[in-house]
Amino acid sequence: MKTQFFTVKDIVRITGITARTLHFYDKINLLRPTRLSDNGYRAYSREDLEKLQTILFFKEMNLSLKEISAIMQLSKQKQLQKLKIHHQTLLSKQRRLGTIITALEDYVSGKDIFNLNIFNSSPILPLEEQYSREAKMIYGETKIYKDYEKKLEKLSDHEKANLSNEFSNHMEHVFKKIAKQIHNPPSSDDVQELIAEWKSYLEQYMTCDTTILKCIANTYKSDSRFKNYINQFSDEDLSDFVYQAIMCYCQK
């Protein structure tokens, strides 16, 4: 049987890649044609085509041309060892991508960024940790914050996690209840009872005097991150309503 050779046009028709890509692979010595005629026409053997299909397979696995070139020079056994490592890398990226997709779906549906686990398994610190560090920078020298830190130091990591989850659930619960009262005056008894409940959750962490409560109220009103978090529980400006309700509470 006569040896079959393929022209560039043939390879393009078979694989779907462009002639420019094929020429580039030749230029970087990734895939050289078996024959090159005097007039510059390239002729590829069936082995060349098989090699190209392997290159395209590796490229689909998100390997760079430099990595592919290095792998192609290895024995079949060593290639498989390299690809097993790359397989684990792809699985890790798949899990990470799944987290990102879920977070995006939650964000688009209206969930606040604070409640997204987007920075888990990432060099970037989780938002909860970022907020904690930010608070320490701002309030770290105050007595109330130091007392708060001493309280946390006595807890195990598991207890801290449980306390944090419990606090988040309580905040979400009370803000949802306040949202149902948004058409009542902020100073009404029903609203003020809910602010007292909100304060009781804060007091699990720190002593809440009038100064601290007003500071938190102003943060709810001025910090877009907290505004967005609170406003997710209502179609109206719930953060401003909570601000007014806390200020009324402080005036009692």
Side-chain angles (χ1 to χ4, degrees):
M1 181 178 176
K2 186 178 179 181
T3 303
Q4 176 70 57
F5 284 95
F6 303 100
T7 66
V8 170
K9 187 178 291 186
D10 293 333
I11 296 293
V12 169
R13 188 179 297 116
I14 291 170
T15 64
I17 69 170
T18 65
R20 176 178 291 184
T21 297
L22 203 55
H23 292 165
F24 180 69
Y25 288 174
D26 184 2
K27 181 179 178 180
I28 64 174
N29 295 321
L30 182 59
L31 180 69
R32 305 298 302 273
T34 296
R35 291 183 181 178
L36 187 64
S37 65
D38 294 337
N39 57 4
Y41 285 106
R42 297 170 173 84
Y44 294 89
S45 67
R46 297 184 72 179
E47 288 76 17
D48 295 333
L49 176 59
E50 183 180 347
K51 183 178 180 181
L52 173 61
Q53 289 166 338
T54 302
I55 290 170
L56 296 176
F57 171 60
F58 289 164
K59 196 168 183 294
E60 283 297 306
M61 292 192 295
N62 205 32
L63 288 165
S64 68
L65 293 180
K66 184 177 180 180
E67 290 172 318
I68 293 172
S69 180
I71 290 175
M72 295 295 290
Q73 296 176 44
L74 300 175
S75 66
K76 189 71 173 180
Q77 184 177 1
K78 290 186 176 180
Q79 279 188 13
L80 293 177
Q81 290 174 354
K82 284 279 187 182
L83 292 175
K84 284 179 181 178
I85 296 172
H86 187 63
H87 176 249
Q88 294 302 315
T89 301
L90 289 179
L91 287 177
S92 178
K93 288 182 178 180
Q94 182 185 45
R95 289 190 290 269
R96 177 66 182 151
L97 185 59
T99 299
I100 293 172
I101 291 172
T102 299
L104 179 57
E105 289 172 347
D106 288 342
Y107 187 70
V108 169
S109 67
K111 194 171 184 179
D112 184 74
I113 191 172
F114 182 81
N115 290 323
L116 305 179
N117 296 321
I118 190 63
F119 295 126
N120 288 4
S121 303
S122 166
I124 306 299
L125 292 173
L127 286 174
E128 188 172 353
E129 177 65 19
Q130 291 184 36
Y131 286 3
S132 176
R133 293 188 178 201
E134 178 186 350
K136 185 170 183 176
M137 288 182 184
I138 298 173
Y139 306 110
E141 297 306 314
T142 64
K143 182 180 182 303
I144 289 177
Y145 192 87
K146 289 179 179 179
D147 290 342
Y148 156 73
E149 280 195 312
K150 287 179 181 179
K151 181 177 180 179
L152 287 186
E153 286 173 0
K154 297 177 182 178
L155 303 178
S156 66
D157 290 341
H158 180 69
E159 288 172 328
K160 288 177 185 177
N162 285 341
L163 187 62
S164 177
N165 289 334
E166 186 179 277
F167 179 76
S168 296
N169 291 335
H170 283 155
M171 286 291 110
E172 180 174 335
H173 181 65
V174 76
F175 284 137
K176 284 180 178 178
K177 289 200 291 186
I178 295 173
K180 293 179 181 179
Q181 301 291 330
I182 198 167
H183 296 297
N184 290 331
S187 59
S188 67
D189 290 342
D190 289 340
V191 174
Q192 289 301 298
E193 284 180 12
L194 291 174
I195 295 301
E197 180 182 342
W198 165 82
K199 179 190 172 189
S200 71
Y201 299 139
L202 290 174
E203 287 177 329
Q204 295 177 17
Y205 286 87
M206 64 185 74
T207 302
C208 293
D209 59 16
T210 300
T211 302
I212 289 295
L213 292 179
K214 286 183 177 180
C215 180
I216 294 173
N218 281 300
T219 301
Y220 285 176
K221 183 179 177 65
S222 61
D223 191 314
S224 61
R225 296 167 299 179
F226 287 96
K227 284 175 66 70
N228 291 336
Y229 168 71
I230 296 170
N231 285 340
Q232 71 176 313
F233 303 114
S234 173
D235 294 331
E236 302 182 51
D237 193 350
L238 182 61
S239 64
D240 184 67
F241 182 78
V242 172
Y243 162 79
Q244 295 180 49
I246 296 173
M247 297 305 284
C248 290
Y249 185 91
C250 292
Q251 291 171 7
K252 287 184 177 180

